[in-house]
Amino acid sequence: MPTAAQLLQKFSDTKTLPHVALRLSKLLSQEGSRIQEFDALIKMDPVLVTRLLRMVNSPYYGLSEKITSISRAIVFIGMKNLRNLVVLDGLKDLIPEDTQTGVFSRKQLWLHCVAVSICSQLIAERVFGQMGEDVFLCGILHDVGMIVEDQTAPDLFVKTCTALASGSGALPLLEKEIIGTDHCEIGALLAKEWKMPEEIKEGIRCHHTTEAPGRPDTMTGILQLAEFMAGKLGHPELKGLPAALSASLAGHVRENLPDYRLLAKEIPARMAMARDLYEGQGA
Amino acid sequence: MEASSPIFREFEDASDKFRRLLSFLQQRFHGHRFQLLSPEGSVGESLCLVDAMGRVFPRKDLAAIAVPVQDMEATIVVSARGGRKTSALSREFRQALELGIELFHSQSRLRESEELLEVQKRQADRTARVLEEKYMEILAENQRHHDEMRNQQALYAQTLKEEIERQTKELRDANRDLVEAKQSLERTNEELEKAVERANRMASEAGIANAAKSQFLAAMSHEIRTPLNAIIGFSEMLLESGLKEEQQDYAGIVKRSSEALLALINDILDLSKVEAGRMTLETSEFNPEAMASDICDLVRPTAEHKAIELLCRVEKSVPALVRGDPKRFRQVLINLMGNAAKFTESGQIELRMSAVQIADTRVKLLTEVRDTGIGIAEDQWKRIFEPFRQIDGSPGRKYEGTGLGLSIAKKLVELMGGEIWVESRVGQGSVFRFTAWMERSGQPLESKSPVTESPNQKALPATAPPVWKTGGLRVLLAEDNLVNQKLACLMLNKAGVEVEVAASGKEAVEKYTGDPRQVTLILMDVQMPGMDGLQATRTIRGWEEKQPPLGRRRVPIIAMTAQAVEGDREKCIEAGMDDYLSKPVKKEMLLEKIREWSSRQGVSCLGSEGKCF
């Protein structure tokens, strides 16, 4: 049975995040990176420039004047949002054309990731009053391990999905049993390889660990809450996978039910916005 | 409202809502008893029975009735105050109950709306906080960028300033260097001026030394030529005196050797003159074509002896008459043609002359001497023009020669503003070419002075035997050297010329003025003790001037001098002489001159038509 590292190696030999995304992520983690550097970097990718300007000029930001300069756009949306935009873009390119294989659909997974990103950011900002860009990134990447599995061990992965659909147990357990590793492990390794922040890596590693999610306002807590909401809102990782929450997080939701109700109402609009931004590929 | 977000139903506490409804009803319908039944369970008093099918049976004993609750999956069982009969629960009561429930719903909705507003406000507050945080972050970021940019600008300004300072310094240094260089240049100039002064001084000293050297050379040449003159002359005489074959051979060797020695001396003299810068060109008219054919004639005997075909071509472009130094031009031609004849054993020799450049007043002549001789290796093409170079430098070399001819030719050509060069292939032959600038002459060909007489007038083959018939031809020979006296007498007597000898200038004047009619012409040695040839000539000319016009005549005086130094000829002409013979005097030349001048006199020539020839 292959290890997470072996699968990852196989995957990384052919695919990686675009240079711009990796470089941007690195720049962000460095102290004293200059906006000119970002500017220069983004200019390398015309598609990205278009998307960035569309994003900053969208009604969401409600700016009174149209922004046409990259530097100004970055100032408005912030470096982290920019990074998220780029990573989301890059991840989309890592996913091949959809092929329906039973319970697994690549498009389904992609929509799931988008939904979890949006939910994560909303929960962080609206419920906990935290800045939500990092959890958004974590949301984008949390299931990247499944993309790796799908492309490096497709047969075993389909088998796992089938076993899951027949209710044979929790996903990570089945993955370990059939593939030899799980997508949380692979995802965390990949995040490390891509030099993502440490907490993002940990968020990915623990997003299925129901035993000890810790407090709800942590990266892992928020990610699990978001995954639950995405599932409930019709964007589960795998078709028919029931949305479940650990007891402590359920208690938190119960206590803050009005908050979550309000969020749930806002998600579809946000998904529509993402769809608008990613034309055809979105939600 | 909660129905629109069913995703959180599992977290909702439905019984709480029923309890609130129960308490609401109890307050509104005081004294009545209520039970609320829902799929989640029952709250309130126990007023009914529920069977396994979920059907509700209100207790008859309490006169309870069951009423379904609008908008809720629930049933209310109510028993009237004081346990009155069912009838007591009138229609009005039912209506009131329904209205009450509706009111409860309204209040619930109101409460939920308030709650939602509150949540929205709370979330908006949090969002505002986050945005504020982001805003602060962006502000900080912008501040940082601003600072960085300012720092960068400051750094740039600093760099700029330093760069300007550096370049200014470099400029100043360069300027200082320039000033120093200028000063050093001025110093060098001063030194140069001093050096020039010194050089001038040395040059004038050298000039003096050189003049001394020239005089020495002239003297030497005179001293050497005089005995050589005798050796050559007497060898010639000896050869004609009916010797035995063996003696004839020896005398021949003596003659040829002395001639070679004389040639060497002449060459050395020429070269030293050229090198001392004392060789100057004369300017007189001559006909290049005639000169070319003349030179060919000179070489012809040798060529015919070796069976070499001799060709002479003068292009039409060559003017009939040019002005230049015919003697020097001829010297170069003779040298090249002589070499060609010397180094060619068979085949042909070609002399070709053309005008390659014609200017307003000048013409550039190209002369080409082509032979099929031994040839010259390419690495020698330049060296052969250096003094004392012959391609075969070995002691037992085959070809005679001083090795000075080409270097003299080169100097002469350079004096004539031209160049000389050779192209050759060993074993196949050589082509010597030289150019020379000549002045163009519009004057018709005319012999103005005997010195510059045109070559075509003496186009006789030099080897032509003299047809010599004289009679009454008397020559006055002024010569102090006894050997030369005797030699000249022998030559002239043999040719049938009567000779009167004067041993000094004074004696010559006396003899001539004593009886001028007895003298057809005078051969005058220039260098004589006491009254020299020049002075004697001037005296004779002065005397002639004083004669009465009727009997006045001008006797031809031919100078004989070993002083082959530049300017001699001019001095002689100036003194009143008419022609010039260089010592050692060769018999042919001597007789030629005498023939010529006597014929001009018209006195002594015994030719058939009053001419010698």
Side-chain angles (χ1 to χ4, degrees), chain B residues 66-205:
Chain B
V67 180
V69 184
Q70 290 174 321
D71 301 333
M72 285 173 98
E73 245 185 275
T75 308
I76 293 178
V77 182
V78 60
S79 151
R81 199 180 331 176
R84 280 177 290 173
K85 296 281 182 209
T86 314
S87 57
L89 296 170
S90 60
R91 229 180 119 201
E92 289 74 22
F93 177 75
R94 278 175 182 258
Q95 274 181 349
L97 189 62
E98 277 167 13
L99 283 172
I101 291 170
E102 208 170 292
L103 179 63
F104 171 76
H105 278 318
S106 292
Q107 284 185 351
S108 284
R109 276 196 292 274
L110 184 63
R111 198 165 56 86
E112 277 168 11
S113 288
E114 281 169 355
E115 198 183 71
L116 183 67
L117 280 174
E118 208 173 298
V119 170
Q120 275 176 331
K121 183 181 177 294
R122 208 159 60 223
Q123 291 196 356
D125 285 348
R126 291 184 192 129
T127 307
R129 221 159 54 229
V130 169
L131 286 175
E132 196 168 336
E133 217 175 308
K134 285 185 188 172
Y135 173 67
M136 296 309 289
E137 222 172 55
I138 286 171
L139 271 190
E141 186 87 345
N142 283 351
Q143 182 63 40
R144 198 165 61 78
H145 288 148
H146 176 74
D147 290 350
E148 254 169 34
M149 230 167 304
R150 214 179 38 203
N151 287 346
Q152 257 183 343
Q153 276 171 358
L155 194 70
Y156 177 68
Q158 179 65 24
T159 315
L160 204 64
K161 194 172 152 241
E162 281 168 12
E163 183 64 14
I164 288 170
E165 277 168 5
R166 194 180 62 75
Q167 291 193 0
T168 307
K169 187 173 172 300
E170 267 176 17
L171 272 176
R172 280 207 197 99
D173 289 352
N175 197 35
R176 203 183 51 234
D177 289 351
L178 267 177
V179 168
E180 277 170 16
K182 188 173 163 248
Q183 285 167 351
S184 132
L185 206 62
E186 280 166 0
R187 273 198 303 278
T188 312
N189 259 349
E190 275 169 36
E191 279 163 20
L192 263 177
E193 269 166 30
K194 279 180 199 155
V196 167
E197 237 170 73
R198 211 159 44 234
N200 280 341
R201 211 164 49 238
M202 280 164 73
S204 69
E205 281 164 14

Side-chain angles (χ1 to χ4, degrees), chain B residues 580-591:
Chain B
Y580 177 97
L581 273 170
S582 183
K583 283 185 177 178
V585 176
K586 304 257 293 186
K587 195 173 80 185
E588 290 83 6
M589 288 293 287
L590 177 63
L591 294 181

Side-chain angles (χ1 to χ4, degrees), chain A residues 89-225:
Chain A
D89 239 17
L91 190 78
K92 199 185 70 200
D93 292 338
L94 290 183
I95 304 175
E97 282 293 293
D98 197 15
T99 49
Q100 206 76 35
T101 51
V103 290
F104 176 66
S105 153
R106 286 167 184 156
K107 187 175 180 189
Q108 171 75 37
L109 183 64
W110 162 247
L111 291 177
H112 171 72
C113 291
V114 174
V116 170
S117 306
I118 292 169
C119 291
S120 297
Q121 186 163 14
L122 279 177
I123 292 168
E125 291 182 355
R126 298 285 183 84
V127 180
F128 299 116
Q130 303 173 350
M131 290 203 277
E133 283 85 355
D134 283 345
V135 288
F136 185 93
L137 179 65
C138 196
I140 299 168
L141 293 173
H142 80 284
D143 271 345
V144 72
M146 287 175 75
I147 297 172
V148 175
E149 288 175 336
D150 171 40
Q151 289 176 51
T152 56
D155 296 343
L156 294 175
F157 184 59
V158 168
K159 208 169 148 194
T160 308
C161 293
T162 313
L164 187 76
S166 67
S168 306
L171 180 58
L173 290 176
L174 289 173
E175 285 176 283
K176 280 215 176 65
E177 206 173 289
I178 296 167
I179 301 173
T181 180
D182 65 61
H183 72 278
C184 308
E185 202 58 43
I186 298 171
L189 276 178
L190 194 60
K192 192 180 167 196
E193 190 178 295
W194 287 345
K195 311 225 168 17
M196 294 296 163
E198 181 69 19
E199 52 170 351
I200 303 259
K201 192 190 86 185
E202 283 312 304
I204 294 171
R205 188 197 303 285
C206 301
H207 78 272
H208 275 289
T209 313
T210 47
E211 303 89 63
R215 284 164 44 206
D217 60 349
T218 59
M219 182 78 79
T220 312
I222 291 170
L223 198 60
Q224 289 190 3
L225 286 166

Side-chain angles (χ1 to χ4, degrees), chain B residues 415-488:
Chain B
L415 278 177
M416 289 187 273
E419 282 175 296
I420 185 165
W421 69 99
V422 66
E423 279 167 36
S424 179
R425 196 169 282 183
V426 174
Q428 293 189 13
S430 313
V431 187
F432 280 83
R433 291 189 180 86
F434 76 93
T435 54
W437 279 103
M438 298 291 161
E439 283 173 36
R440 294 174 67 186
S441 169
Q443 298 296 312
L445 189 58
E446 184 185 343
S447 181
K448 283 180 174 172
S449 97
V451 181
T452 58
E453 77 187 319
S454 180
N456 65 348
Q457 278 187 312
K458 37 189 273 184
L460 263 186
T463 51
V467 183
W468 201 228
K469 299 168 192 161
T470 53
L473 190 67
R474 277 176 61 93
V475 169
L476 178 60
L477 173 69
E479 169 67 73
D480 65 314
N481 186 297
L482 285 176
V483 179
N484 283 345
Q485 271 177 21
K486 196 165 181 196
L487 179 64

